[in-house]
Amino acid sequence: QLQLQESGPGLVKPSETLSLTCTVSGDSINSDHYFWAWIRQPPGRGLEWIGSMYDSGTTYYSPSLKSRVSISVDTSKNQFSLNLSSVTVADTAVYFCARDVTRGGAFDVWGPGTMVSVSS
Amino acid sequence: NFMLTQPHSVSESPGKTVAISCTRSSGSIASNYVHWFQQRPGSSPTIVIFEDKQRPSGVPDRFSGSIDSSSNSASLSISGLKTEDEADYYCQSYDGSTLNWVFGGGTKLTVL
């Protein structure tokens, strides 16, 4: 059974870089050419797609975050990662990683999410 | 760019049927698949409908999806409402012009 787990610091200072890792278990991150995505949810608000990666390196990013985001993969550890630079308090959110089974936004498996606060 | 607009909240009684709308602001709703997610408080979202009307295994057939080109909207219908259906529901679709996956603002369903 496929499982995803986010990990990383729960507190980041303004202007610094937020770095999170998603560990995939129960299947290879290389299998079946799925997309792998990061999605976030500010407290009390809705979902926002951050970016997706497939084929171990091809990436799509949200236009509103594109200048600050990068997603990468470590196939040896079955992990993919998110870096978001120059963070502000507006980046405070629960960050989810997810699998996109149809490569069209059908996120069928999600991690439990990790809360990241941006504060000095 | 387009936006997906959902009602902020809906409420209905147990056993009844409710429909949650998702209206696309520009471009045809039929241009790209619509997916629907359920999010209970304190939990991750789960997919309940994908590709407009397909139901993942394990999702009850009380959940159904449709699109209506005349109103340029998608709809999630839940019949035989149960208290466990109380959750936030989000629609989502793909914006090919900006290579962006767009979520609706979410609808809070209350079953009372």
Side-chain angles (χ1 to χ4, degrees):
Chain A
Q1 180 185 356
L2 183 73
Q3 291 185 314
L4 307 180
Q5 179 68 57
E6 305 88 353
S7 59
L11 181 64
V12 182
K13 290 182 167 55
S15 80
E16 295 189 343
T17 296
L18 179 161
S19 297
L20 297 174
T21 296
C22 181
T23 300
V24 178
S25 59
D27 199 359
S28 168
I29 200 167
N30 280 331
S31 68
D32 294 331
H33 305 289
Y34 297 125
F35 281 26
W36 303 91
W38 287 97
I39 296 151
R40 70 181 182 179
Q41 185 172 37
R45 299 182 64 185
L47 301 167
E48 179 185 20
W49 173 74
I50 299 170
S52 294
M53 179 203 71
Y54 71 100
D55 288 345
S56 298
T58 305
T59 51
Y60 291 120
Y61 300 131
S62 167
S64 65
L65 298 171
K66 188 173 184 176
S67 63
R68 300 192 291 128
V69 173
S70 68
I71 296 174
S72 60
V73 64
D74 186 337
T75 54
S76 68
K77 295 181 179 178
N78 224 34
Q79 295 174 336
F80 62 106
S81 297
L82 169 71
N83 279 344
L84 180 65
S85 64
S86 304
V87 297
T88 71
V89 293
D91 295 309
T92 293
V94 176
Y95 286 76
F96 299 98
C97 58
R99 184 183 74 172
D100 178 355
V101 67
T102 65
R103 301 170 64 173
F107 304 118
D108 68 322
V109 181
W110 296 63
T114 187
M115 178 68 199
V116 180
S117 297
V118 179
S119 174
S120 55
Chain B
N1 306 24
F2 66 84
M3 294 172 50
L4 297 173
T5 300
Q6 300 180 234
H8 182 70
S9 63
V10 296
S11 62
E12 189 51 271
S13 303
K16 300 290 189 180
T17 297
V18 71
I20 298 172
S21 62
C22 171
T23 302
R24 178 166 166 160
S25 62
S26 61
S28 171
I29 191 70
S31 296
N32 305 94
Y33 285 127
V34 176
H35 315 297
W36 289 91
F37 300 87
Q38 176 193 68
Q39 186 179 30
R40 295 190 174 106
S43 296
S44 308
T46 61
I47 192 164
V48 292
I49 294 289
F50 69 99
E51 294 181 350
D52 296 341
K53 59 183 180 180
Q54 304 303 318
R55 203 169 43 249
S57 61
V59 174
D61 61 7
R62 301 185 296 106
F63 289 79
S64 62
S66 63
I67 62 168
D68 179 1
S69 294
S70 65
S71 59
N72 213 35
S73 65
S75 183
L76 172 69
S77 181
I78 310 171
S79 62
L81 277 168
K82 302 182 177 184
T83 55
E84 68 201 45
D85 299 328
E86 197 162 277
D88 294 326
Y89 291 85
Y90 295 90
C91 61
Q92 183 246 67
S93 190
Y94 177 63
D95 184 349
S97 67
T98 57
L99 305 181
N100 189 25
W101 276 264
V102 179
F103 283 96
T107 298
K108 181 177 181 58
L109 169 64
T110 302
V111 181
L112 41 63

